[in-house]
Amino acid sequence: MEVTLTAIKADIGSIGGHVAPSKAVIARVGEAVDEGGKGLIIDRFIGHTGDDIAILLTHDRGTKDERIHRLAWDAFQEGTTVAKRQGLYGAGQDLLSDAFSGNIHGLGPAVAELRFNERPNEPFLMFTADKTEPGAYNLPLYLAFADPMYNTGLILSPAVGRGFTFTVMDVENLDGDRVIELSTPEEAYDLAALLRDNGRFVVESIRSRAAAAASADEQAVSCCTTRLRNIAGRYVGKDDPVMLVRTQKNFPATGEVLGPFGIGHFVAGFMRGSHVGPLMPVKAGTGVSFFDGPPIVSCLAFSLREGKLTEPCDVFDHPYWDWVRENVARKAHDIRAQGFSGAAMLPYADLEYGGITERMNKLDKRFCIR
Ligand code: F6R
Ligand code: MG
Ligand code: MG
């Protein structure tokens, strides 16, 4: 059976600042999806990470489907009404347009979609991150799909060892979405040269070369590439990306995809979207705290049969990840100890709120040549 997974994620208001959505808002989003989704969707899951609500839908209508995207949009609108009634902070924040126009891309919410013929058993992962940007997934994806130091499946399994084709988007190109395809292992160094720049080059999708050779459905990964700042023209929060990953057989195993998240690599985001902080893998439903962060990512594993979802398994809810969280908390503390200095904050072009630019412009006039 051909099925489509659509994950759409948005911040529509949260309790106590940018911490977490209220139970009432999450419940209203779920009800609205159920009411509007009758006869349209097969199944759904609603969750939250930090201040963002994620809607996962299964259906048979393909990607970028107007009715599916509208369902999520309307549900977020319904949730926003409750958020406003409760006085939540930033109610409706990520709904950047007054009206829905055919497709949710470019309207604010983060989207990741996968369409494929279901395997007899179909495992997949939904990653949701908060207080960071889409490029935060670059390193874990490179390591899981192209580096045998992290994914020994690349040398153990002939199918996985055939390699993968990455589609990478230049998200800073103002004339439209510029993409490039690179295949590993041959082009691994070219890929690394792009993916080191998380703010500009973002993995959009990854396909299995073994599956392509066998004419099977090849897409393993779909990532959101939205940059809210480019849409809104001002700071409205970081992009808090969502990602879907199919695992096992021709694709990396679930544990191989998760492994690189043990690094807690430094990403852009954190307080006011203007800092550098380590990405902490957290349990589903975790809010944010220390310095509006640290940047967090959660991951739910599902199986799928005829479009019906199992209950989710929270894969970062495990003693191993408690130890990782301790280490990442230490990294977060260490970089915060140096406050505004050097590597703790982002380069000029990525600083939000305009305050630094304003201040520098003012000071510039007071410099004199000696
Ligand atoms: C990060 C984020 C927060 C806010 C900060 C100030 O994505 O949303 O760190 O930038 O709490 O928020 P405002 O400007 O709304 O007071
Ligand atoms: Mg927010
Ligand atoms: Mg958020």
XYZ file of all heavy atoms in Angstrom, residues 11 14 18 51-52 93-94 130-131 236-237 240, ligand 2:
94
model
N 4.963 26.523 16.642
C 4.829 27.152 17.954
C 3.597 28.043 17.871
O 3.590 29.038 17.137
C 6.092 27.974 18.235
C 5.990 28.775 19.534
O 4.920 28.764 20.166
O 6.996 29.419 19.892
N 2.913 29.394 24.227
C 3.326 28.517 25.316
C 3.212 29.183 26.675
O 3.022 30.395 26.792
C 4.735 27.969 25.063
O 5.561 28.952 24.537
N 8.650 30.979 26.393
C 8.740 30.011 25.278
C 9.038 28.613 25.814
O 9.975 27.956 25.372
C 9.834 30.448 24.316
C 9.543 31.730 23.602
N 8.878 31.773 22.397
C 9.820 33.018 23.922
C 8.766 33.035 22.003
N 9.329 33.808 22.918
N 8.423 24.423 22.961
C 7.189 25.204 22.786
C 6.439 24.863 21.493
O 5.494 25.560 21.132
C 7.482 26.715 22.862
C 8.502 27.169 21.830
O 8.849 26.381 20.941
O 8.951 28.329 21.920
N 6.865 23.819 20.797
C 6.241 23.485 19.507
C 5.336 22.260 19.598
O 5.679 21.286 20.270
C 7.324 23.172 18.471
C 8.343 24.280 18.388
O 7.938 25.438 18.206
O 9.543 23.978 18.527
N 2.245 32.337 17.043
C 3.525 32.914 16.600
C 4.027 32.415 15.234
O 4.490 33.195 14.419
C 4.582 32.610 17.679
C 6.000 32.866 17.253
C 7.001 32.441 18.315
O 7.049 33.017 19.386
N 7.802 31.441 18.010
N 3.939 31.110 15.000
C 4.517 30.566 13.758
C 3.548 30.606 12.570
O 3.912 30.196 11.473
C 4.965 29.111 13.955
C 6.279 29.018 14.709
O 6.852 30.077 15.036
O 6.731 27.892 14.973
N 13.783 21.843 19.108
C 13.359 23.190 19.489
C 14.575 24.033 19.849
O 15.587 23.509 20.314
C 12.405 23.122 20.689
C 11.744 24.479 20.948
O 11.540 25.236 19.976
O 11.440 24.775 22.115
N 14.458 25.359 19.600
C 15.532 26.326 19.863
C 16.761 26.061 19.019
O 17.892 26.223 19.466
C 15.921 26.354 21.351
C 14.767 26.490 22.299
C 14.022 27.796 22.145
C 12.833 27.837 23.078
N 11.703 28.575 22.535
N 11.303 35.602 14.365
C 10.070 35.085 14.974
C 10.374 33.731 15.602
O 9.534 32.851 15.622
C 8.923 34.944 13.950
C 8.266 36.259 13.678
C 9.416 34.316 12.660
N 11.570 33.572 16.128
C 11.946 32.289 16.717
C 12.745 31.487 15.707
O 12.618 31.695 14.510
N 13.201 25.405 14.490
C 12.719 24.265 15.252
C 12.286 23.112 14.348
O 11.102 22.771 14.254
C 11.569 24.712 16.169
C 12.033 25.854 17.080
O 13.248 26.026 17.254
O 11.170 26.564 17.611
Mg 8.905 29.922 20.462
